[in-house]
């Protein structure tokens, strides 16, 4: 039988978060330099869940030192490390290198600046989850068949989505715009986050994101102004 979710999270939950950051990225960590994937995990986790870093270090080290035995393999109660390009015999050493990098980051207080731009597909989605839901769900390649235009798609999202999630999207839009990227980088960002159609003419990707943030920012009218009785 497979492991129950609570037990899985206790043993492997944060280990799984770290390994997920390697999807599509080379696991080329060495003792002197963390990989792009691990740097992305550290950047995001330092600012979103800094307490999880110590959990990750412990879970990775415990797994490397105590790999699943025959009984756990037979019962299916173990974490299966995906193929990251290393032979099975090298996985233990690689995991210990990851644990050492995370430990060093914690002990030396290597906090990345909040203005750092995401560098991997995983990091874009981890940092801007609601924006990824919005762009991937409403602006896929099927968007022209489902909506009359971009404005109609935005309106449909606004109507169909819980107010707290709309507020979250507006916040993520402003956070992305605050990075002050070049337009080519905004084009890369929306592509990484799932947008499969071009912005409407004559807008650049950055200008269109600013327009969407402005239009959806009117969500406050739906629940009134703070401190004012209805």
């Amino acid at each position: 039988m497979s492991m129950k979710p609570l037990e899985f999270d206790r043993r492997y939950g944060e280990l799984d978060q770290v390994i997920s950051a390697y999807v599509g990225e080379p696991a080329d960590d060495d003792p002197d330099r963390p990989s792009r994937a691990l740097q992305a995990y550290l950047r995001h986790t330092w600012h979103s869940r800094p307490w999880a870093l110590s959990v990750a270090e412990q879970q990775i080290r415990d797994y490397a030192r105590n790999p699943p035995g025959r009984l756990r393999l037979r019962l299916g109660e173990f974490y299966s490390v995906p193929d990251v390009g290393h032979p099975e015999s090298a996985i233990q050493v690689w995991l210990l290198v990851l644990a050492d990098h995370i430990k060093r980051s914690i002990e030396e207080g290597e906090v990345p600046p909040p203005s750092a731009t995401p560098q991997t597909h995983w990091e874009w989605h981890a940092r801007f989850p609601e924006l990824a839901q919005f762009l991937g769900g409403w602006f896929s390649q099927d968007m022209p068949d489902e909506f009359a235009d971009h404005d109609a798609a935005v309106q449909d999202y606004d109507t169909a989505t819980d107010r707290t999630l709309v507020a979250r999207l507006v916040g993520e839009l402003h956070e992305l715009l605050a990075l002050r990227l070049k337009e080519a980088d905004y084009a890369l960002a929306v592509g990484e986050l799932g947008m499969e159609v071009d912005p409407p003419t004559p807008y650049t990707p950055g200008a269109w994101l600013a327009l969407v943030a402005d239009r959806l920012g009117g969500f406050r009218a739906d629940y009134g102004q703070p401190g004012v009785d209805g």
Side-chain angles (χ1 to χ4, degrees):
M1 58 183 292
S2 60
M3 186 177 298
K4 294 181 179 180
L6 183 59
E7 185 64 21
F8 179 90
D9 286 344
R10 286 173 174 168
R11 291 188 185 182
Y12 311 123
E14 201 58 31
L15 163 63
D16 186 53
Q17 288 293 311
V18 176
I19 301 301
S20 295
Y22 283 84
V23 174
E25 292 289 327
D28 56 354
D29 309 83
D30 62 49
D32 297 321
R33 181 192 57 82
S35 64
R36 272 193 5 140
L38 186 58
Q39 290 177 41
Y41 170 82
L42 289 169
R43 268 194 305 272
H44 178 67
T45 309
W46 262 115
H47 291 289
S48 61
R49 302 176 305 125
W51 53 266
L53 293 169
S54 62
V55 177
E57 190 267 342
Q58 180 179 9
Q59 289 186 356
I60 293 171
R61 202 175 295 281
D62 287 347
Y63 186 92
R65 291 173 173 170
N66 302 285
R70 293 180 180 178
L71 177 61
R72 285 162 62 193
L73 289 171
R74 187 169 71 249
L75 295 175
E77 296 183 349
F78 71 101
Y79 178 77
S80 179
V81 177
D83 184 5
V84 293
H86 291 301
E88 187 174 348
S89 59
I91 291 294
Q92 181 181 31
V93 173
W94 173 66
L95 288 174
L96 290 173
V97 168
L98 302 192
D100 288 343
H101 278 304
I102 295 172
K103 180 181 179 181
R104 186 178 305 117
S105 179
I106 297 169
E107 291 181 341
E108 297 181 4
E110 297 175 352
V111 183
S115 58
T117 303
Q119 297 298 312
T120 70
H121 182 76
W122 176 89
E123 189 177 5
W124 280 110
H125 281 253
R127 184 166 176 181
F128 300 105
E130 188 58 29
L131 183 53
Q133 178 68 23
F134 170 68
L135 294 177
W138 276 262
F139 294 92
S140 70
Q141 60 185 354
D142 297 327
M143 173 256 172
D145 298 326
E146 297 177 356
F147 303 104
D149 54 25
H150 291 67
D151 287 345
V154 173
Q155 182 59 44
D156 184 77
Y157 169 86
D158 190 29
T159 302
T161 306
D162 185 275
R163 297 294 87 195
T164 57
L165 295 179
V166 177
R168 190 172 300 166
L169 173 62
V170 172
E172 289 182 12
L173 284 166
H174 283 295
E175 181 179 348
L176 178 55
L177 293 167
L179 295 178
R180 299 185 181 277
L181 305 178
K182 296 179 180 178
E183 279 302 331
D185 293 323
Y186 278 120
L188 172 65
V190 297
E192 290 282 4
L193 291 167
M195 189 172 185
E196 297 178 337
V197 296
D198 292 329
T201 304
Y203 294 99
T204 62
W208 180 71
L209 291 173
L211 177 67
V212 173
D214 183 62
R215 289 182 176 175
L216 291 178
F219 69 86
R220 287 187 299 272
D222 291 348
Y223 59 76
Q225 295 298 320
V228 178
D229 294 332

